[in-house]
Amino acid sequence: MPRAGFGGSVLLAAGGLAAGALPAQVPFGLTILRRHPGWGIVVAYAGLVLLIAAWWRLGHLVRGDGRDDGGGDGKSAKPTPKQLMITLAIWSAPLLLAPPLFSRDVYSYLAQGAMVGAGLDVYEHGPAYYGGPVAAEVPAIWQHTPTPYGPFFLLVATGVAAAAGRTSPPACSACGSWRCSAWCC
């Protein structure tokens, strides 16, 4: 089942290249994939189904109610904590490289962090007040909405925005930075 989980993650990440929330100025020559978002959605959901099935199977193995491990005693081998951490890392790796999936919220976080870094009051203004390519990635519905997030979140967002820069291609690295900060917390 570890291969199924990794395969699901790869399919989900690959589908995201065509149907994910890439910046408007698509980096790395991926514009050709953006012409086929329907296939991207199919591939992404196939990967999601495969990944869910792999997690479900792994849950059964952890509880010890999985299939026979081949030892002839009718019991399944429970994975060790080390094996579980390795599985988590392997299954997560493709998703760390994928564009944002199913939401463009990460661009709002990046814009809010950049606003705090620029000394603007995010509790008073939305990303449209900041302007520029980063704010342009924020969905229209959130352009004029002040942040609902607290100081710690904004501190993290400011660090991610400062590390990524203010232009749109660094928005890709900012997405990866967000994922890494979530992984570490």
Side-chain angles (χ1 to χ4, degrees), residues 168-182:
S168 194
C172 297
S173 64
C175 293
S177 299
W178 272 114
R179 288 187 182 113
C180 291
S181 64

Side-chain angles (χ1 to χ4, degrees), residues 125-153:
H125 305 287
Y129 186 79
Y130 181 62
V134 172
E137 299 296 340
V138 177
I141 193 169
W142 303 117
Q143 282 286 336
H144 301 284
T145 305
T147 187
Y149 303 109
F152 180 73
F153 178 86

Side-chain angles (χ1 to χ4, degrees), residues 63-160:
R63 287 192 308 274
D65 58 351
R67 287 187 275 167
D68 184 358
D69 65 358
D73 56 4
K75 295 182 181 177
S76 63
K78 285 187 176 183
T80 65
K82 181 180 178 183
Q83 289 172 322
L84 290 173
M85 292 304 289
I86 291 169
T87 299
L88 175 65
I90 290 170
W91 291 3
S92 299
L95 299 176
L96 286 172
L97 303 173
L101 301 168
F102 309 114
S103 173
R104 297 186 67 81
D105 288 356
V106 71
Y107 299 115
S108 293
Y109 309 151
L110 179 60
Q112 291 163 358
M115 288 175 69
V116 170
L120 301 174
D121 184 0
V122 293
Y123 296 109
E124 189 70 30
H125 305 287
Y129 186 79
Y130 181 62
V134 172
E137 299 296 340
V138 177
I141 193 169
W142 303 117
Q143 282 286 336
H144 301 284
T145 305
T147 187
Y149 303 109
F152 180 73
F153 178 86
L154 291 173
L155 180 67
V156 173
T158 303
V160 170

